[in-house]
Amino acid sequence: MEKKYVVGIDIGGQTSKIGVVNAEGEILSRVVIRSDVYGEDANAFIAALAEAVKQLIKECGKEGEIKGVGVGAPNGNYYTGEIAKAPNLKWAAKEPVPFAKLLSEGLDGLPVTLTNDANAAAVGEMTYGAARGMKDFIMITLGTGVGSGIVIDGKVVYGHDGFAGELGHTTVHPGGRMCGCGKAGCLEAYCSATGVARTAEEWLTKTDEPSLLRSYEKITAKDVNDCAMQGDQMAIRIFNFTGRLLGESLANFIAFSAPEAIVLFGGLARNKNFLTEPILRAMNANVLPRWKDKVKLVYTELKESDAAILGASALAWD
Amino acid sequence: MEKKYVVGIDIGGQTSKIGVVNAEGEILSRVVIRSDVYGEDANAFIAALAEAVKQLIKECGKEGEIKGVGVGAPNGNYYTGEIAKAPNLKWAAKEPVPFAKLLSEGLDGLPVTLTNDANAAAVGEMTYGAARGMKDFIMITLGTGVGSGIVIDGKVVYGHDGFAGELGHTTVHPGGRMCGCGKAGCLEAYCSATGVARTAEEWLTKTDEPSLLRSYEKITAKDVNDCAMQGDQMAIRIFNFTGRLLGESLANFIAFSAPEAIVLFGGLARNKNFLTEPILRAMNANVLPRWKDKVKLVYTELKESDAAILGASALAWD
C-alpha cells in the first residue's frame, strides 16, 4: 500500500508537538507532550515520544500508512541524526544523543529524519507559508533566542558539519553586550525577546527618563510592546534600536546569499508594527545599491507550531 | 568528434587572459590581450576578444574540438550572461552588456558561460587547487578590493539575482571608514590592499611614532609588507589590525554557512606570515565553541591568473 502520510515533530524545551500530516500539508491530528519531565534521561523522553506518536497514528487510523517521521529540534543535526549541547533540553545538554536512531527503533523501524528547529520552520514556510515558490530566502526566528534557516537554490544550507545558519551568533555590535554563548555583541543578545528586555533594563537604569516601563518589576518583550502600543516613547525607541541592529545584520546576510526575501518568524516578529520600518531603513542603508529596496521583508504566514510541525514533516517525504 | 577542450577567459580592467584547457586542467596555450584600449565600446572589445580566442584555438590546432567557453569577469552575472556597473571596465561601467551572447556570436555560436571573477577563482580552486575535494568553503580574494566566492554543497552560490557573495561589502566596523561603494565600514575598506594603505596613512597622520613607512611618499600594501619584513613595529601592527578585522568577519561568515575551510587568494594574501596569526586569533575568538579551531584557513595553491582561467574554463564543461 502506498504510504500517504508523514509525521512531523517539533521538539521544544517545555513541550513537544506531534502532528500527522497528509500530502497537501494538512495536519490531520495532533498532540502535545511534555519534554521537561525526564531530567537527563534521553531514553525515557524518546520512549514517551515514540509511544505518543504510535498512539496518535492509531487514533487517526493511519497505521501502516506512514512514510516517515521528520523532527525539528534545537541543535538537531541533519547529517548525524544527533542532538547535542542543547542548553534548553536537559536530556541533550551534554553528550550527543543519537536521537533519530533511537526514535526510529522506538517506532519499529520507521525512518526518522532530524534537523534543527529553525531549519524545519524554514522548510515549512517554503512549502506552505510566506516563502512559497521561493528558492532563495533567509528565515530569522526571533524568539527567546535568534535562530535562522537559510535556503539557497531551494535547499536548506547545512554546511560542512550540519550546523550552518547560526545567524543569531554573528556579531552585530563588536565588543558589545555578552551573549549566552560566551561571545560579545551577538545579534541574539540584542534582537531576541530577551535582548529587548535587556535593552529596556539597561536604558531604565542609565537615565531618569519617565516611561511606563518603570511600573514593571521584571520587564519582558511583551511589556515593551504593550507600552509602545500606549505611545510610550522609550518603548518605541527600544523597538527602533532593535530594528536598526537587525536591519544592519540583515544587510550583511543579503551580501552573502542575495536572497529574494527575509522571512521573520517567532514571538518577537509579532511586533511588526514597531519593527518593520526601522529594520527596512537600516537594511536598505547598508546594502549595495543593487539590493536597495529590492529584497522583500515578509512575516511568517503560519502559526508558529504549525510551521515547525509542517516543516519537519516535509523532511519525511524525501 | 568528441570535444575535449574548453576555453577559459579572465577579464580584468587592464588585461584579459585567455587559455585553452584540457580535461586534466592543463592550460595548453595562453594569450593576454589589453582590455583598456576600447573606451566605452563594448562591441569593439568583444570583437577583439573573439578574434584572440579564435587565433589561440587555431594556433594550438584545436579547431572544432572546443566544447565551450567560460568567462570570469567583475560583475559578470551567471544567470543573465550580462556585465553591468563594473567600475573597472569602462565598456561595462553603466548599462548592461549582453556579454555572453555577443561573445558567442563572435565565436560562431560556441556556447559561452559567464560568472564573476571571484566565483570563477573559487571554482578553479575547488577543481584544481587548495579546495580540491571540498564541498563547503568560502574563497576570499584580497586584492585592490575584497571579493568572494562561496561554495555550498559543491555549488557556487549565486542567489536570487546572480550576485551573491559580496562579502567585501559586509560591515566590519559600523560607522567606520567610507568604502568606494558608498557605505561606511565595509570589510573592503579595511582588508584590501587599498585598505591596508589607508590604515598606514591614517596611523602615520595620527601619531608621531617613528616608522620606516614615513620614508614613502604614496604607501602601498607592498610597502607595508616590506617594512614589516624589516621589523617595523607599526607595519606589523597594521597587519595585526587588518588580520583581526578579517578574522572577525570570517567568524560571521562561518556562522552563515559552516564551511570546511576559508581559502585566501589575491595579492594581499601573499602576506600570510603577518596575517595568519591575527586572522586565526580573531576568527576563533568570535565563533561558537563548536567551530573553535575547527575551520581551516588555507591559501590559494594556484597562480592567480591560472585560478581564474581554470575556474572559468570549468564552467564550460557543463
Side-chain angles (χ1 to χ4, degrees), chain A residues 160-161 166 183 255 258 286 291, chain B residues 160-161 166 183 255 258 286 291:
Chain A
H160 181 57
D161 61 1
E166 282 284 9
K183 297 181 358 148
N286 285 282
W291 290 311
Chain B
H160 182 58
D161 61 1
E166 282 284 8
K183 298 181 353 150
N286 285 281
W291 291 311

Side-chain angles (χ1 to χ4, degrees), chain B residues 29-299:
Chain B
S29 190
R30 68 176 88 206
V31 69
V32 176
I33 68 163
R34 299 279 298 265
S35 329
D36 59 352
V37 292
Y38 301 91
E40 297 185 2
D41 190 347
N43 288 311
F45 170 67
I46 294 169
L49 183 65
E51 197 46 48
V53 171
K54 284 193 210 173
Q55 190 64 32
L56 189 70
I57 294 170
K58 197 171 172 185
E59 275 170 27
C60 62
K62 305 300 179 198
E63 286 167 296
E65 297 185 64
I66 303 293
K67 192 164 166 24
V69 178
V71 183
N75 280 16
N77 189 309
Y78 179 75
Y79 292 145
T80 63
E82 294 174 345
I83 306 177
K85 296 186 184 159
N88 298 324
L89 306 174
K90 265 194 189 153
W91 45 269
K94 293 171 196 166
E95 291 309 299
V97 174
F99 189 89
K101 180 174 166 285
L102 294 176
L103 182 60
S104 177
E105 285 169 8
L107 293 170
D108 310 320
L110 264 186
V112 173
T113 309
L114 177 71
T115 191
N116 85 30
D117 43 354
N119 287 341
V123 173
E125 211 67 50
M126 176 166 56
T127 318
Y128 309 109
R132 272 189 314 274
M134 290 187 194
K135 299 189 80 174
D136 295 274
F137 68 97
I138 298 174
M139 170 131 178
I140 307 281
T141 64
L142 302 168
T144 316
V146 173
S148 59
I150 302 163
V151 173
I152 291 178
D153 203 20
K155 293 192 202 74
V156 171
V157 174
Y158 290 109
H160 182 58
D161 61 1
F163 287 117
E166 282 284 8
L167 300 182
H169 300 285
T170 54
T171 305
V172 64
H173 193 329
R177 207 178 267 179
M178 284 306 296
C179 178
C181 75
K183 298 181 353 150
C186 287
L187 180 61
E188 174 164 304
Y190 293 89
C191 299
S192 59
T194 15
V196 167
R198 283 174 78 178
T199 302
E201 280 158 19
E202 277 181 22
W203 290 14
L204 288 171
T205 312
K206 267 192 205 157
T207 71
D208 286 334
E209 184 184 336
S211 165
L212 296 174
L213 290 165
R214 297 200 183 273
S215 59
Y216 295 86
E217 194 157 335
K218 178 110 187 79
I219 296 172
T220 65
K222 191 182 167 303
D223 300 334
V224 181
N225 183 58
D226 290 347
C227 293
M229 295 279 280
Q230 294 171 67
D232 185 78
Q233 288 305 302
M234 188 187 280
I236 290 170
R237 284 209 317 279
I238 288 169
F239 282 120
N240 284 343
F241 171 77
T242 308
R244 174 171 69 76
L245 289 180
L246 182 55
E248 288 174 5
S249 291
L250 295 179
N252 285 346
F253 308 157
I254 290 169
F256 199 102
S257 69
E260 178 175 356
I262 306 286
V263 183
L264 298 183
F265 180 88
L268 194 63
R270 288 189 211 114
N271 304 293
K272 60 177 159 181
N273 288 346
F274 298 111
L275 285 172
T276 304
E277 208 253 311
I279 291 173
L280 282 177
R281 202 184 321 123
M283 184 173 108
N284 286 314
N286 285 281
V287 288
L288 289 178
R290 72 165 63 103
W291 291 311
K292 227 174 263 288
D293 303 317
K294 294 272 170 63
V295 182
K296 296 171 213 158
L297 181 73
V298 298
Y299 290 84

